[in-house]
Amino acid sequence: SNSFLARNYTEYALETLEKGSKMSIGYTFHMEIANIHYISRNYSKMIETYLDYVDQFPEVYVNVQNRLQFLMSQSHSRPL
């Protein structure tokens, strides 16, 4: 997916991660998928992905909270 992102092919990167998530055991790629939604400015899907992640794995709550706080702090240069 990183090769696709480097070329700004976000849809291919997203598709790659979603397929990998279905094939993988124990790793869901939620953070990576949410990041692609952020890059694509699809903020509702980004939030939905983070919430799904926390719903499935409550122990990641602080990580997700930190990421969202970081993104909000960056909003002055890139409006959400």
Side-chain angles (χ1 to χ4, degrees):
S1 74
N2 288 337
S3 294
F4 289 129
L5 283 177
R7 291 167 180 78
N8 205 30
Y9 295 144
T10 55
E11 285 300 316
Y12 290 123
L14 184 60
E15 190 176 314
T16 300
L17 287 172
E18 287 174 343
K19 285 182 181 179
S21 180
K22 290 176 185 171
M23 294 171 48
S24 175
I25 297 173
Y27 195 77
T28 60
F29 299 97
H30 279 92
M31 295 295 278
E32 294 85 351
I33 291 169
N35 189 51
I36 291 174
H37 290 309
Y38 173 74
I39 291 168
S40 302
R41 295 180 178 250
N42 190 345
Y43 303 121
S44 61
K45 287 294 285 182
M46 177 192 74
I47 297 292
E48 182 181 323
T49 301
Y50 282 131
L51 292 176
D52 286 345
Y53 190 31
V54 171
D55 188 46
Q56 289 180 26
F57 304 97
E59 65 275 9
V60 302
Y61 172 79
V62 173
N63 292 345
V64 170
Q65 180 183 28
N66 290 340
R67 178 67 180 157
L68 289 171
Q69 286 175 336
F70 171 77
L71 294 175
M72 293 300 290
S73 74
Q74 300 299 307
S75 67
H76 66 279
S77 61
R78 181 182 177 160
L80 296 176

